[in-house]
Amino acid sequence: MRQSRLALHALALIGLLAGSCPLRAETGAAAASALSVSIDDFSYVDTSGEVIDQTAAHQRRLDGLMRRLRADVAAEPRYRLVLPADEARIKVIGGVQKTSTLVQWAKVAVIDAGATRVLYERLYTFRGDNDEAWDHAAMFLSREVRGALAAALPPEATATAAPIGLAVFEFELEDTTAAPASGLAGSDAAYLADVTRGVRDRLAQSGRYRLVDTGGVTAEPVKARALRDCDGCEAAIAQKLGADQALIGVIRRVSRTEYTVGFQLRDARSGAVISRGDSGLRMGADYSWTRGEVHLVGDRLLEGGAQR
């Protein structure tokens, strides 16, 4: 019943949208330009019945989700983000409903106003109502929406899309064991080099990316292998190198046989996080780092469809 209420609410939004704006196909020069996209502010409904008033927190988190979604779409040169009040070929609308303390539903629709049809319409559930849960939901919804937008591109736009210039920085080690060695041990450096090489090879072979050389970078966070702690400075460094995006990765050693692998991808111009992944706790010796990281990047970034 709760799912139905949110579905009907979002469908009503779709109906209002279709009735309030002209729906006609673009022709001529407009069709050859970037695909115009507008993203309406999502609605939010709290039917959880919780005593604590979280209106302000919910609005802040919803605003963050909208900023993330718009930044990710705007970072793709094949799309032209316009204001919701303007006429756009593609319109993205949606709503979120909190149904209980730990469960929220999100309804998203992508509408081709030119063809008067719904391209994409899904109802998702996500658990949790904190910044981390909303961040994960924003990343997932962004990926799904961008996938739907890519499907709306004309074949020639997809076929001629240039590879994305990507700066893949050397992977870093965060050692959380009781007594980490002073500095980076030789064996650890060798394993990290293998991880970096494996990820670069995987991305280059995909054909989606054009790797940008980072070997001559002299910025201190790069030399110190501390990009994970520089608050996104890798984006500006990558932009100076002529890259479109920047990727950093971290191996976190929990014990001698336990570790996690993770990566983060940013747009070089805006600094916005486009995609990130974390494996969760894994078991294995140091030589298994490469296999874990390459699999994570392939699963979350390549198969997940992260774009510019």
Side-chain angles (χ1 to χ4, degrees), residues 171 190-200 251 289-290 293-294:
F171 276 64
Y191 285 128
L192 287 174
D194 189 56
V195 172
T196 304
R197 183 167 50 252
V199 169
R200 285 173 174 167
I251 307 294
W289 292 351
T290 299
E293 191 72 72
V294 170

